Amino acid sequence: QVQLVESGGGLVQAGGSLRLSCAASGSTFSSNVMSWYRQAPGKRRELVATITSGGSTNYADSVKDRFTIYRDNAKNTVYLQMNSLKPEDTAVYYCVARAMVPWVWGRGTQVTVSS
């Protein structure tokens, strides 16, 4: 069973950057499709970015050209580099492993962007 632990969240001013990390346990990480979701207060959880086992990526329109998802299979870790942050990026960010049903979710890390 994969377990996920996110880190790297915090408080940043608009225009700043943060890098989120998601460390995964288990030997199946390299074959796992990994995603980052986020949920802002009072809003639905939304998909932010996805990376396949082969390294293909996909992004929500709202974060394209600002966020980058990448993975280091040797470290069993997926990252989300977030640049040019906006107040509307404020949310709890969750790492998700999607190879199995049900998906495995981390506990989340809070990102707060001040204006």
Side-chain angles (χ1 to χ4, degrees), residues 73-95:
N73 289 336
K75 295 183 178 180
N76 277 12
T77 302
V78 62
Y79 302 93
L80 186 67
Q81 178 66 44
M82 306 185 295
N83 299 328
S84 302
L85 282 161
K86 304 175 181 180
E88 51 264 43
D89 295 316
T90 295
V92 177
Y93 284 71
Y94 299 90
C95 177

Side-chain angles (χ1 to χ4, degrees), residues 86-109:
K86 304 175 181 180
E88 51 264 43
D89 295 316
T90 295
V92 177
Y93 284 71
Y94 299 90
C95 177
V96 185
R98 299 170 52 168
M100 294 176 288
V101 177
W103 294 356
V104 177
W105 293 76
R107 292 179 176 265
T109 185

Side-chain angles (χ1 to χ4, degrees), residues 19-37:
R19 188 181 76 163
L20 305 183
S21 300
C22 172
S25 64
S27 60
T28 61
F29 175 80
S30 61
S31 62
N32 231 316
V33 176
M34 302 295 298
S35 291
W36 286 94
Y37 278 74

Side-chain angles (χ1 to χ4, degrees), residues 20-70:
L20 305 183
S21 300
C22 172
S25 64
S27 60
T28 61
F29 175 80
S30 61
S31 62
N32 231 316
V33 176
M34 302 295 298
S35 291
W36 286 94
Y37 278 74
R38 67 185 180 186
Q39 188 166 22
K43 294 188 176 181
R44 287 185 174 182
R45 193 170 290 186
E46 65 169 336
L47 176 62
V48 175
T50 297
I51 185 166
T52 68
S53 57
S56 297
T57 58
N58 202 4
Y59 299 91
D61 288 343
S62 59
V63 307
K64 273 181 185 175
D65 301 323
R66 299 189 298 123
F67 291 10
T68 302
I69 187 172
Y70 61 100

